[in-house]
RNA sequence: CGGGGAGUAGCUCAGCCCGGCUAGAGCGCUUGGUUUGGGACCAAGAAGUCGCAGGUUCGAAUCCUGUCUCCCCGACCA
């Protein structure tokens, strides 16, 4: 492609709307332009990369027997009401104003709709259905460019099986396909166990890329590969040990002592002698959650334990529920349900709030003083704690979710009546799995992992072009003739070539644009080297340059590729 | 939703606090010329209802009120 005739608008300065490197570079290199918050137009160069990614996805999905569909984005609302997901998605679901339609944020319902009545026998199963399609989610806060948008391209796949064993097979196939896709795209990623959240279902795993721009927090063990979303992550943090003798309960006046740190400093005690209290509202009923020291409550774990809706109590509700404000709340005399983290199990001689402002209580014995207390794993794992599997240090960091695979089970098939007859003539619900990849996130994550201060550094097979051919001073007839011939010859050899044939523009402009756009190989043709019948090859990643004879150029390139 | 920042030329921004001549700069763009191995130079030029609406004032980019949009942080850590 000739740069002089292409729409590849590059920017010298960083755009004000972008913060993370991939976002900045995608705008500067002319891959995307923003239309509105979380809504982007793909420009030709960006879309060329996106198509390469989609081709890889298609190949790998077809490899595991996937069949490509294209479902509508515009869906009748009533089908979403049948599965209860109009309410479950809430404000995230886009509603059409002048007809009872919604814009689909995912497609379980539509897959189930089409399966119903057509998948009627165990002989029709299994099926793997997938599509690459635009999804709509009314994100309250889009961010980081295309990483979280209100409109985005997703590869979503669905397996239909007659039983759990079949689902296991489909799940494993997707696990394999996803690894192949991300490997081929050249990404460094890892796989974590995850909470299935609002999707329902049992097992689920996320494919993640480490990044400051990530929205998930992950615990990862370098030495054994243990990786889990902090929503479900565990460590081998040790429970407190019960002391031989329990003291009697006693009150302590603790003016202006609000936090556990304050309390420890004030009483000169260890964090592991304290129990922090937090009050949650579980379906209108208050629950006191006791944590060891400064451990934080993992609300996902808490929700899984309690069921129903769980939210932290508002500050103005605290006094009515407990008799005290934040900082002085505790288990003694608390009139509602109390649950505690496992690390506190059967602890004694503990300090906690007195449910009276500016007072704490010491000598608490959870066995003696708090009847009916329940213990669960409720804490958030912290960096530096020991891995639950191998005992090495865990690293906790942010990550971007590239893909997610779920074992759904029969939630949607039962809700929508997707039934088949098994070998014995018995009617059963189809067992479903659901699998998604954020297509644009692959591109953004690739750039996050492959750039320098000059720009993007592509590599095969995502690179939009193999070679960036630069003609310096195209007014010089020898340069012009040589580059024109090279442009044709290289394409005949099967290379995709971006040809900077612009007549205007100094050498510096062309070099900088080439570095910004980031094709793996640059071929630089200038008068100086041409006098000796030579041209220069530059490796974008290493920066290494080599001057070769014109006749040997193709051979040199063959060695590189 | 809560908090913070921003909206002035295609882009990046100054001017606003403390109202006052024709609203500026750099980059980009157009024309002509000189240049051509790391974002060149000279000359001439086009380009902005200062986000929108209302108000205060003799006078508003600047002050006040409302509103829209965009970016960032957070999602109630006792």
């Amino acid at each position: 492609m000739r740069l002089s005739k292409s729409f590849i608008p590059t920017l010298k300065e960083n755009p004000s709307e972008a913060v993370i490197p991939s976002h900045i570079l995608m705008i500067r290199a002319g891959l995307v332009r923003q239309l509105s918050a979380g809504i982007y137009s793909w420009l030709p160069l960006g879309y060329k990369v996106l198509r390469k990614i989609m081709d890889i996805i298609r190949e790998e999905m077809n490899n595991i027997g996937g069949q490509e569909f294209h479902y509508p984005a515009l869906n009748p609302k009533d089908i979403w009401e049948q599965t209860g997901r109009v309410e479950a998605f809430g404000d995230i679901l886009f509603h059409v104003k002048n007809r009872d339609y919604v814009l689909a944020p995912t497609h379980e319902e539509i897959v189930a709709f089409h399966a119903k009545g057509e998948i009627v026998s165990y002989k029709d199963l299994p099926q793997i259905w997938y599509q690459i399609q635009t999804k709509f989610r009314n994100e309250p806060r889009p961010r980081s460019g295309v990483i979280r948008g209100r409109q985005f391209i997703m590869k979503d796949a669905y397996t239909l099986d007659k039983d759990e064993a079949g689902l296991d097979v489909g799940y494993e196939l997707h696990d394999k396909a996803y690894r192949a896709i991300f490997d081929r795209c050249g990404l460094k990623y890892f796989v974590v166990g995850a909470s299935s959240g609002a999707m329902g279902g049992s097992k689920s795993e996320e494919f993640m890329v480490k990044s400051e721009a990530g929205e998930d927090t992950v615990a990862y063990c370098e030495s054994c590969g243990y990786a889990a979303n902090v929503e479900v992550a565990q460590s081998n943090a040790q429970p407190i040990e019960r002391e031989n003798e329990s003291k009697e309960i006693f009150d302590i006046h603790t003016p202006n002592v609000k936090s556990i740190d304050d309390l420890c400093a004030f009483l000169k005690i260890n964090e592991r002698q304290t129990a922090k209290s937090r009050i949650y509202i579980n379906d209108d009923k208050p629950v006191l959650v006791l944590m060891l020291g400064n451990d934080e409550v993992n609300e996902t774990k808490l929700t899984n334990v309690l069921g129903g809706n769980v939210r932290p109590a508002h500050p103005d509700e605290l006094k009515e529920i407990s008799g005290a404000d934040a900082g002085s709340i505790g288990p003694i005399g608390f009139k509602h349900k109390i649950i505690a983290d496992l690390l506190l199990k059967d602890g004694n001689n503990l300090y906690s709030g007195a449910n009276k402002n500016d007072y704490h209580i010491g000598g608490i014995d959870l066995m003696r003083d708090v009847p009916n207390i329940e213990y669960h794993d409720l804490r958030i794992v912290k960096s530096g704690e020991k891995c639950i599997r191998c005992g090495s240090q865990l690293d906790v960091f942010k990550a971007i979710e590239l893909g997610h695979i779920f074992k759904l089970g029969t939630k949607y098939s039962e809700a929508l009546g997707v039934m088949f007859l098994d070998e014995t003539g018995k009617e059963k619900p189809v067992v479903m799995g659901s699998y998604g990849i954020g297509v644009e996130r692959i591109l953004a994550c690739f750039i996050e992992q492959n750039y320098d201060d000059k720009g993007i550094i592509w590599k095969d097979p995502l690179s939009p072009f193999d070679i960036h051919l630069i003609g310096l001073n195209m007014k010089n007839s020898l340069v012009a003739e040589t580059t024109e011939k090279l442009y044709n010859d290289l394409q005949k050899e099967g290379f995709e070539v971006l040809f900077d044939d612009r007549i205007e523009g100094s050498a510096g402009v062309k070099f900088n644009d080439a570095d910004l756009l980031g094709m793996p190989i640059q071929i630089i043709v200038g008068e100086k080297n041409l006098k000796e019948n030579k041209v220069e090859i530059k490796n974008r990643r290493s920066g290494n340059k080599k001057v070769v004879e014109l006749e040997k150029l193709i051979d040199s390139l063959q060695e590189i590729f």
PDB file of all heavy atoms in Angstrom, chain B residues 31-41:
ATOM      1  P     U B  31      -1.063  23.518  -2.483  1.00  0.00           P
ATOM      2  OP1   U B  31      -1.594  22.935  -3.736  1.00  0.00           O
ATOM      3  OP2   U B  31      -0.046  22.797  -1.694  1.00  0.00           O
ATOM      4  O5'   U B  31      -0.489  24.974  -2.806  1.00  0.00           O
ATOM      5  C5'   U B  31      -1.263  25.897  -3.570  1.00  0.00           C
ATOM      6  C4'   U B  31      -0.518  27.198  -3.702  1.00  0.00           C
ATOM      7  O4'   U B  31      -0.482  27.878  -2.413  1.00  0.00           O
ATOM      8  C3'   U B  31       0.950  27.076  -4.076  1.00  0.00           C
ATOM      9  O3'   U B  31       1.137  26.848  -5.460  1.00  0.00           O
ATOM     10  C2'   U B  31       1.498  28.409  -3.616  1.00  0.00           C
ATOM     11  O2'   U B  31       1.163  29.444  -4.520  1.00  0.00           O
ATOM     12  C1'   U B  31       0.721  28.618  -2.311  1.00  0.00           C
ATOM     13  N1    U B  31       1.480  28.140  -1.133  1.00  0.00           N
ATOM     14  C2    U B  31       2.380  29.024  -0.565  1.00  0.00           C
ATOM     15  O2    U B  31       2.574  30.150  -0.992  1.00  0.00           O
ATOM     16  N3    U B  31       3.062  28.543   0.520  1.00  0.00           N
ATOM     17  C4    U B  31       2.936  27.292   1.076  1.00  0.00           C
ATOM     18  O4    U B  31       3.625  26.995   2.064  1.00  0.00           O
ATOM     19  C5    U B  31       1.983  26.432   0.422  1.00  0.00           C
ATOM     20  C6    U B  31       1.308  26.885  -0.637  1.00  0.00           C
ATOM     21  P     G B  32       2.387  25.973  -5.935  1.00  0.00           P
ATOM     22  OP1   G B  32       2.198  25.729  -7.387  1.00  0.00           O
ATOM     23  OP2   G B  32       2.597  24.841  -5.014  1.00  0.00           O
ATOM     24  O5'   G B  32       3.594  26.999  -5.741  1.00  0.00           O
ATOM     25  C5'   G B  32       3.652  28.171  -6.544  1.00  0.00           C
ATOM     26  C4'   G B  32       4.772  29.061  -6.072  1.00  0.00           C
ATOM     27  O4'   G B  32       4.501  29.545  -4.737  1.00  0.00           O
ATOM     28  C3'   G B  32       6.125  28.379  -5.929  1.00  0.00           C
ATOM     29  O3'   G B  32       6.786  28.175  -7.161  1.00  0.00           O
ATOM     30  C2'   G B  32       6.854  29.372  -5.025  1.00  0.00           C
ATOM     31  O2'   G B  32       7.273  30.505  -5.757  1.00  0.00           O
ATOM     32  C1'   G B  32       5.737  29.766  -4.060  1.00  0.00           C
ATOM     33  N9    G B  32       5.783  28.943  -2.860  1.00  0.00           N
ATOM     34  C8    G B  32       5.062  27.793  -2.572  1.00  0.00           C
ATOM     35  N7    G B  32       5.359  27.287  -1.411  1.00  0.00           N
ATOM     36  C5    G B  32       6.324  28.133  -0.890  1.00  0.00           C
ATOM     37  C6    G B  32       7.030  28.098   0.341  1.00  0.00           C
ATOM     38  O6    G B  32       6.939  27.268   1.250  1.00  0.00           O
ATOM     39  N1    G B  32       7.933  29.163   0.460  1.00  0.00           N
ATOM     40  C2    G B  32       8.123  30.125  -0.494  1.00  0.00           C
ATOM     41  N2    G B  32       9.035  31.063  -0.206  1.00  0.00           N
ATOM     42  N3    G B  32       7.474  30.185  -1.642  1.00  0.00           N
ATOM     43  C4    G B  32       6.601  29.160  -1.774  1.00  0.00           C
ATOM     44  P     G B  33       7.764  26.926  -7.321  1.00  0.00           P
ATOM     45  OP1   G B  33       8.168  26.900  -8.748  1.00  0.00           O
ATOM     46  OP2   G B  33       7.134  25.731  -6.721  1.00  0.00           O
ATOM     47  O5'   G B  33       9.004  27.322  -6.419  1.00  0.00           O
ATOM     48  C5'   G B  33       9.875  28.359  -6.864  1.00  0.00           C
ATOM     49  C4'   G B  33      10.808  28.785  -5.754  1.00  0.00           C
ATOM     50  O4'   G B  33      10.044  29.083  -4.547  1.00  0.00           O
ATOM     51  C3'   G B  33      11.797  27.744  -5.262  1.00  0.00           C
ATOM     52  O3'   G B  33      12.878  27.540  -6.143  1.00  0.00           O
ATOM     53  C2'   G B  33      12.222  28.363  -3.921  1.00  0.00           C
ATOM     54  O2'   G B  33      13.096  29.448  -4.127  1.00  0.00           O
ATOM     55  C1'   G B  33      10.880  28.883  -3.411  1.00  0.00           C
ATOM     56  N9    G B  33      10.252  27.879  -2.523  1.00  0.00           N
ATOM     57  C8    G B  33       9.213  27.024  -2.789  1.00  0.00           C
ATOM     58  N7    G B  33       8.926  26.249  -1.770  1.00  0.00           N
ATOM     59  C5    G B  33       9.844  26.617  -0.786  1.00  0.00           C
ATOM     60  C6    G B  33      10.045  26.133   0.537  1.00  0.00           C
ATOM     61  O6    G B  33       9.407  25.239   1.130  1.00  0.00           O
ATOM     62  N1    G B  33      11.086  26.787   1.182  1.00  0.00           N
ATOM     63  C2    G B  33      11.845  27.779   0.618  1.00  0.00           C
ATOM     64  N2    G B  33      12.806  28.295   1.399  1.00  0.00           N
ATOM     65  N3    G B  33      11.667  28.251  -0.604  1.00  0.00           N
ATOM     66  C4    G B  33      10.668  27.628  -1.241  1.00  0.00           C
ATOM     67  P     U B  34      13.579  26.091  -6.213  1.00  0.00           P
ATOM     68  OP1   U B  34      14.494  26.103  -7.385  1.00  0.00           O
ATOM     69  OP2   U B  34      12.548  25.044  -6.105  1.00  0.00           O
ATOM     70  O5'   U B  34      14.444  26.086  -4.887  1.00  0.00           O
ATOM     71  C5'   U B  34      15.485  27.035  -4.698  1.00  0.00           C
ATOM     72  C4'   U B  34      16.034  26.949  -3.301  1.00  0.00           C
ATOM     73  O4'   U B  34      14.966  27.202  -2.342  1.00  0.00           O
ATOM     74  C3'   U B  34      16.561  25.583  -2.892  1.00  0.00           C
ATOM     75  O3'   U B  34      17.847  25.303  -3.413  1.00  0.00           O
ATOM     76  C2'   U B  34      16.548  25.715  -1.366  1.00  0.00           C
ATOM     77  O2'   U B  34      17.631  26.503  -0.910  1.00  0.00           O
ATOM     78  C1'   U B  34      15.240  26.468  -1.148  1.00  0.00           C
ATOM     79  N1    U B  34      14.126  25.532  -0.911  1.00  0.00           N
ATOM     80  C2    U B  34      14.029  25.004   0.371  1.00  0.00           C
ATOM     81  O2    U B  34      14.809  25.307   1.262  1.00  0.00           O
ATOM     82  N3    U B  34      12.996  24.116   0.561  1.00  0.00           N
ATOM     83  C4    U B  34      12.082  23.713  -0.367  1.00  0.00           C
ATOM     84  O4    U B  34      11.200  22.908  -0.041  1.00  0.00           O
ATOM     85  C5    U B  34      12.240  24.292  -1.672  1.00  0.00           C
ATOM     86  C6    U B  34      13.242  25.159  -1.892  1.00  0.00           C
ATOM     87  P     U B  35      18.237  23.775  -3.565  1.00  0.00           P
ATOM     88  OP1   U B  35      19.705  23.746  -3.789  1.00  0.00           O
ATOM     89  OP2   U B  35      17.339  23.105  -4.529  1.00  0.00           O
ATOM     90  O5'   U B  35      17.900  23.243  -2.108  1.00  0.00           O
ATOM     91  C5'   U B  35      18.727  22.318  -1.495  1.00  0.00           C
ATOM     92  C4'   U B  35      18.291  22.077  -0.068  1.00  0.00           C
ATOM     93  O4'   U B  35      16.924  22.515   0.168  1.00  0.00           O
ATOM     94  C3'   U B  35      18.249  20.598   0.286  1.00  0.00           C
ATOM     95  O3'   U B  35      19.541  20.116   0.565  1.00  0.00           O
ATOM     96  C2'   U B  35      17.322  20.584   1.498  1.00  0.00           C
ATOM     97  O2'   U B  35      18.001  20.982   2.659  1.00  0.00           O
ATOM     98  C1'   U B  35      16.297  21.662   1.118  1.00  0.00           C
ATOM     99  N1    U B  35      15.067  21.109   0.517  1.00  0.00           N
ATOM    100  C2    U B  35      14.239  20.319   1.310  1.00  0.00           C
ATOM    101  O2    U B  35      14.489  20.054   2.475  1.00  0.00           O
ATOM    102  N3    U B  35      13.122  19.851   0.684  1.00  0.00           N
ATOM    103  C4    U B  35      12.732  20.082  -0.602  1.00  0.00           C
ATOM    104  O4    U B  35      11.694  19.586  -1.043  1.00  0.00           O
ATOM    105  C5    U B  35      13.637  20.901  -1.374  1.00  0.00           C
ATOM    106  C6    U B  35      14.743  21.374  -0.798  1.00  0.00           C
ATOM    107  P     U B  36      20.005  18.852  -0.274  1.00  0.00           P
ATOM    108  OP1   U B  36      21.446  18.738  -0.072  1.00  0.00           O
ATOM    109  OP2   U B  36      19.446  18.883  -1.636  1.00  0.00           O
ATOM    110  O5'   U B  36      19.274  17.680   0.538  1.00  0.00           O
ATOM    111  C5'   U B  36      19.310  17.678   1.970  1.00  0.00           C
ATOM    112  C4'   U B  36      18.395  16.604   2.489  1.00  0.00           C
ATOM    113  O4'   U B  36      17.021  16.961   2.153  1.00  0.00           O
ATOM    114  C3'   U B  36      18.665  15.242   1.855  1.00  0.00           C
ATOM    115  O3'   U B  36      18.567  14.238   2.838  1.00  0.00           O
ATOM    116  C2'   U B  36      17.533  15.088   0.855  1.00  0.00           C
ATOM    117  O2'   U B  36      17.117  13.748   0.661  1.00  0.00           O
ATOM    118  C1'   U B  36      16.396  15.865   1.531  1.00  0.00           C
ATOM    119  N1    U B  36      15.421  16.334   0.555  1.00  0.00           N
ATOM    120  C2    U B  36      14.125  15.883   0.653  1.00  0.00           C
ATOM    121  O2    U B  36      13.752  15.139   1.546  1.00  0.00           O
ATOM    122  N3    U B  36      13.271  16.324  -0.320  1.00  0.00           N
ATOM    123  C4    U B  36      13.570  17.149  -1.354  1.00  0.00           C
ATOM    124  O4    U B  36      12.701  17.455  -2.156  1.00  0.00           O
ATOM    125  C5    U B  36      14.944  17.585  -1.401  1.00  0.00           C
ATOM    126  C6    U B  36      15.805  17.172  -0.470  1.00  0.00           C
ATOM    127  P     G B  37      19.924  13.587   3.399  1.00  0.00           P
ATOM    128  OP1   G B  37      20.561  14.582   4.289  1.00  0.00           O
ATOM    129  OP2   G B  37      20.719  12.925   2.356  1.00  0.00           O
ATOM    130  O5'   G B  37      19.206  12.471   4.275  1.00  0.00           O
ATOM    131  C5'   G B  37      18.444  12.836   5.428  1.00  0.00           C
ATOM    132  C4'   G B  37      18.825  11.924   6.559  1.00  0.00           C
ATOM    133  O4'   G B  37      18.691  10.566   6.102  1.00  0.00           O
ATOM    134  C3'   G B  37      20.269  12.083   7.019  1.00  0.00           C
ATOM    135  O3'   G B  37      20.361  11.831   8.412  1.00  0.00           O
ATOM    136  C2'   G B  37      20.989  10.978   6.279  1.00  0.00           C
ATOM    137  O2'   G B  37      22.117  10.514   6.944  1.00  0.00           O
ATOM    138  C1'   G B  37      19.918   9.898   6.233  1.00  0.00           C
ATOM    139  N9    G B  37      20.040   8.961   5.122  1.00  0.00           N
ATOM    140  C8    G B  37      20.071   9.240   3.788  1.00  0.00           C
ATOM    141  N7    G B  37      20.191   8.173   3.045  1.00  0.00           N
ATOM    142  C5    G B  37      20.256   7.135   3.970  1.00  0.00           C
ATOM    143  C6    G B  37      20.385   5.752   3.773  1.00  0.00           C
ATOM    144  O6    G B  37      20.482   5.140   2.700  1.00  0.00           O
ATOM    145  N1    G B  37      20.399   5.069   4.960  1.00  0.00           N
ATOM    146  C2    G B  37      20.300   5.645   6.199  1.00  0.00           C
ATOM    147  N2    G B  37      20.331   4.840   7.248  1.00  0.00           N
ATOM    148  N3    G B  37      20.172   6.934   6.407  1.00  0.00           N
ATOM    149  C4    G B  37      20.161   7.612   5.249  1.00  0.00           C
ATOM    150  P     G B  38      19.836  12.910   9.478  1.00  0.00           P
ATOM    151  OP1   G B  38      20.038  14.271   8.952  1.00  0.00           O
ATOM    152  OP2   G B  38      20.396  12.525  10.783  1.00  0.00           O
ATOM    153  O5'   G B  38      18.279  12.579   9.494  1.00  0.00           O
ATOM    154  C5'   G B  38      17.309  13.608   9.753  1.00  0.00           C
ATOM    155  C4'   G B  38      16.526  13.255  11.000  1.00  0.00           C
ATOM    156  O4'   G B  38      16.151  11.851  10.941  1.00  0.00           O
ATOM    157  C3'   G B  38      17.296  13.441  12.299  1.00  0.00           C
ATOM    158  O3'   G B  38      16.384  13.919  13.280  1.00  0.00           O
ATOM    159  C2'   G B  38      17.702  12.032  12.682  1.00  0.00           C
ATOM    160  O2'   G B  38      17.828  11.871  14.071  1.00  0.00           O
ATOM    161  C1'   G B  38      16.532  11.225  12.142  1.00  0.00           C
ATOM    162  N9    G B  38      16.842   9.839  11.849  1.00  0.00           N
ATOM    163  C8    G B  38      17.861   9.341  11.098  1.00  0.00           C
ATOM    164  N7    G B  38      17.842   8.037  11.012  1.00  0.00           N
ATOM    165  C5    G B  38      16.747   7.663  11.768  1.00  0.00           C
ATOM    166  C6    G B  38      16.221   6.386  12.048  1.00  0.00           C
ATOM    167  O6    G B  38      16.634   5.295  11.670  1.00  0.00           O
ATOM    168  N1    G B  38      15.107   6.457  12.863  1.00  0.00           N
ATOM    169  C2    G B  38      14.556   7.612  13.336  1.00  0.00           C
ATOM    170  N2    G B  38      13.483   7.483  14.102  1.00  0.00           N
ATOM    171  N3    G B  38      15.022   8.819  13.084  1.00  0.00           N
ATOM    172  C4    G B  38      16.117   8.760  12.298  1.00  0.00           C
ATOM    173  P     G B  39      16.044  15.558  13.164  1.00  0.00           P
ATOM    174  OP1   G B  39      17.017  16.356  12.416  1.00  0.00           O
ATOM    175  OP2   G B  39      15.761  15.837  14.572  1.00  0.00           O
ATOM    176  O5'   G B  39      14.707  15.562  12.323  1.00  0.00           O
ATOM    177  C5'   G B  39      13.587  14.874  12.822  1.00  0.00           C
ATOM    178  C4'   G B  39      12.359  15.379  12.149  1.00  0.00           C
ATOM    179  O4'   G B  39      11.258  14.555  12.541  1.00  0.00           O
ATOM    180  C3'   G B  39      11.980  16.813  12.500  1.00  0.00           C
ATOM    181  O3'   G B  39      11.292  17.303  11.358  1.00  0.00           O
ATOM    182  C2'   G B  39      10.944  16.614  13.616  1.00  0.00           C
ATOM    183  O2'   G B  39       9.968  17.650  13.583  1.00  0.00           O
ATOM    184  C1'   G B  39      10.264  15.347  13.168  1.00  0.00           C
ATOM    185  N9    G B  39       9.605  14.478  14.127  1.00  0.00           N
ATOM    186  C8    G B  39       9.860  14.180  15.425  1.00  0.00           C
ATOM    187  N7    G B  39       9.022  13.293  15.931  1.00  0.00           N
ATOM    188  C5    G B  39       8.174  13.011  14.876  1.00  0.00           C
ATOM    189  C6    G B  39       7.065  12.133  14.784  1.00  0.00           C
ATOM    190  O6    G B  39       6.606  11.391  15.635  1.00  0.00           O
ATOM    191  N1    G B  39       6.490  12.162  13.526  1.00  0.00           N
ATOM    192  C2    G B  39       6.931  12.939  12.488  1.00  0.00           C
ATOM    193  N2    G B  39       6.254  12.849  11.358  1.00  0.00           N
ATOM    194  N3    G B  39       7.968  13.765  12.547  1.00  0.00           N
ATOM    195  C4    G B  39       8.528  13.741  13.763  1.00  0.00           C
ATOM    196  P     A B  40      12.025  18.218  10.307  1.00  0.00           P
ATOM    197  OP1   A B  40      10.882  18.912   9.652  1.00  0.00           O
ATOM    198  OP2   A B  40      12.986  17.357   9.609  1.00  0.00           O
ATOM    199  O5'   A B  40      12.913  19.237  11.121  1.00  0.00           O
ATOM    200  C5'   A B  40      12.761  20.602  10.880  1.00  0.00           C
ATOM    201  C4'   A B  40      13.889  21.111  10.017  1.00  0.00           C
ATOM    202  O4'   A B  40      13.988  20.374   8.762  1.00  0.00           O
ATOM    203  C3'   A B  40      13.645  22.528   9.554  1.00  0.00           C
ATOM    204  O3'   A B  40      13.977  23.427  10.585  1.00  0.00           O
ATOM    205  C2'   A B  40      14.561  22.639   8.339  1.00  0.00           C
ATOM    206  O2'   A B  40      15.894  22.827   8.735  1.00  0.00           O
ATOM    207  C1'   A B  40      14.418  21.233   7.735  1.00  0.00           C
ATOM    208  N9    A B  40      13.447  21.190   6.634  1.00  0.00           N
ATOM    209  C8    A B  40      12.305  20.449   6.561  1.00  0.00           C
ATOM    210  N7    A B  40      11.640  20.600   5.438  1.00  0.00           N
ATOM    211  C5    A B  40      12.401  21.511   4.723  1.00  0.00           C
ATOM    212  C6    A B  40      12.240  22.092   3.447  1.00  0.00           C
ATOM    213  N6    A B  40      11.218  21.819   2.645  1.00  0.00           N
ATOM    214  N1    A B  40      13.176  22.965   3.035  1.00  0.00           N
ATOM    215  C2    A B  40      14.202  23.233   3.842  1.00  0.00           C
ATOM    216  N3    A B  40      14.464  22.745   5.062  1.00  0.00           N
ATOM    217  C4    A B  40      13.516  21.883   5.442  1.00  0.00           C
ATOM    218  P     C B  41      12.973  24.615  10.916  1.00  0.00           P
ATOM    219  OP1   C B  41      13.390  25.177  12.213  1.00  0.00           O
ATOM    220  OP2   C B  41      11.585  24.174  10.702  1.00  0.00           O
ATOM    221  O5'   C B  41      13.365  25.633   9.755  1.00  0.00           O
ATOM    222  C5'   C B  41      14.692  26.124   9.686  1.00  0.00           C
ATOM    223  C4'   C B  41      14.919  26.847   8.407  1.00  0.00           C
ATOM    224  O4'   C B  41      14.777  25.932   7.278  1.00  0.00           O
ATOM    225  C3'   C B  41      13.905  27.937   8.066  1.00  0.00           C
ATOM    226  O3'   C B  41      14.128  29.118   8.812  1.00  0.00           O
ATOM    227  C2'   C B  41      14.156  28.121   6.577  1.00  0.00           C
ATOM    228  O2'   C B  41      15.328  28.856   6.333  1.00  0.00           O
ATOM    229  C1'   C B  41      14.370  26.676   6.131  1.00  0.00           C
ATOM    230  N1    C B  41      13.161  26.067   5.565  1.00  0.00           N
ATOM    231  C2    C B  41      12.835  26.400   4.234  1.00  0.00           C
ATOM    232  O2    C B  41      13.570  27.185   3.622  1.00  0.00           O
ATOM    233  N3    C B  41      11.733  25.869   3.662  1.00  0.00           N
ATOM    234  C4    C B  41      10.965  25.039   4.365  1.00  0.00           C
ATOM    235  N4    C B  41       9.893  24.534   3.759  1.00  0.00           N
ATOM    236  C5    C B  41      11.265  24.691   5.727  1.00  0.00           C
ATOM    237  C6    C B  41      12.364  25.218   6.279  1.00  0.00           C
TER     238        C B  41
END
